[in-house]
Amino acid sequence: MGARVLDVYRQEKSFGAAGDLQHALDLLSAARGGQLGPSLRIYQPRPTVAFGQRDARLPGFPDAAAACRDLGFEPLVRKAGGRAAAYHEGCLVLDHIEPEADAVRHSLARFADFAQLLAGALQHAGVPAGVGEIPGEYCPGEYSVHGGTEARVKLVGTAQRVVSGAWLFSSVVVIEDSAPLRGVLTAVYDALGLDWDPSTAGAAEDLRPGLTVAVAEASLLAAYGRYAALRTADPRHLERITAPGTTVFPTAAPAR
């Protein structure tokens, strides 16, 4: 078997908040169908709050969605579980897609392995980072990447979707400008009636002043370069990939 190769697509043109989230699922479908090989899509997202399915069933959801719009964030409901997570242009989204015959076999190991990869990339950028859920974090997860020593903040959230023949591993890395994220998450979790600790919402630059998205991206790509040989690919190829059906649900809640 040859060395692993990963095509890297740096998406500069946004499809919109809902379109960007949906496109990851389109790419997963393409990988499953043999139209896309192992790929890493990187982009800076529009201001978005991605709600979990459980959030959408809570009585406070309409108020939470309206609060997002008030603060300039697009409220969306993602297919996967988990709780509300917020991101904007100061973040990087990494969608890692690979076709694999037995995609479910290593699904748990992927969470652990890629969390360590991402933590290592942040460490290389000068950020004290580790892996594990921290008390009171938003959208809690066992494989969250956190930063800091005493007071710790969540820096990366990950999610995975596995289908027959392919998998998608998505990571959101918070690098710059944590204040708007903390503000919208506070409003959202208050409306939903969920407990959390706002001090856990931070960004990598809070721990390593002066860190930029560009510098963090270089460290992330260097870390992925130890996972596979990276090959720069034309993002226009991804723009031609779409899949039928809608699995990301924009909300209709207006700003108040």
Side-chain angles (χ1 to χ4, degrees), residues 42-80:
I42 306 175
Y43 68 94
Q44 290 170 254
R46 296 281 184 87
T48 306
V49 174
F51 291 88
Q53 295 286 316
R54 289 181 297 166
D55 296 327
R57 293 192 288 269
L58 293 175
F61 176 69
D63 285 342
C68 292
R69 294 194 185 278
D70 289 343
L71 294 169
F73 284 75
E74 181 72 14
L76 301 173
V77 181
R78 62 183 182 269
K79 187 76 171 179

Side-chain angles (χ1 to χ4, degrees), residues 100 102-112 160 162 167 169:
E100 187 171 327
D102 188 2
V104 72
R105 183 173 49 155
H106 299 299
S107 55
L108 187 58
R110 275 182 220 119
F111 276 112
Q160 183 175 193
V162 177
W167 52 265
F169 194 91

Side-chain angles (χ1 to χ4, degrees), residues 14-224:
S14 174
F15 299 106
D20 283 336
L21 198 56
Q22 173 64 45
H23 198 54
L25 301 179
D26 295 346
L27 299 179
L28 176 63
S29 179
R32 179 185 190 180
Q35 289 83 47
L36 185 72
S39 302
L40 182 67
R41 169 201 184 206
I42 306 175
Y43 68 94
Q44 290 170 254
R46 296 281 184 87
T48 306
V49 174
F51 291 88
Q53 295 286 316
R54 289 181 297 166
D55 296 327
R57 293 192 288 269
L58 293 175
F61 176 69
D63 285 342
C68 292
R69 294 194 185 278
D70 289 343
L71 294 169
F73 284 75
E74 181 72 14
L76 301 173
V77 181
R78 62 183 182 269
K79 187 76 171 179
R83 292 297 189 185
Y87 42 89
H88 58 19
E89 293 92 339
C91 304
L92 279 172
V93 176
L94 295 89
D95 288 330
H96 181 177
I97 306 105
E98 294 205 29
E100 187 171 327
D102 188 2
V104 72
R105 183 173 49 155
H106 299 299
S107 55
L108 187 58
R110 275 182 220 119
F111 276 112
D113 292 346
F114 287 122
Q116 291 295 339
L117 182 153
L118 295 164
L122 290 172
Q123 291 165 8
H124 184 264
V127 180
V131 176
E133 183 177 339
I134 55 177
E137 71 177 10
Y138 64 93
C139 194
E142 181 181 355
Y143 297 102
S144 296
V145 176
H146 59 256
T149 51
E150 299 294 328
R152 292 181 293 173
V153 297
K154 181 167 183 168
L155 299 177
V156 185
T158 59
Q160 183 175 193
R161 186 159 177 79
V162 177
V163 296
S164 177
W167 52 265
L168 161 68
F169 194 91
S170 293
S171 307
V172 179
V173 186
V174 185
I175 301 160
E176 300 180 37
D177 197 19
S178 60
L181 300 175
R182 193 158 40 249
V184 73
L185 287 169
T186 297
V188 163
Y189 276 70
D190 283 351
L192 295 176
L194 300 174
D195 291 331
W196 78 299
D197 180 356
S199 71
T200 63
E205 71 163 348
D206 298 333
L207 305 171
R208 199 283 205 182
L211 184 66
T212 64
V213 169
V215 171
E217 181 175 341
S219 289
L220 289 161
L221 285 175
Y224 261 100

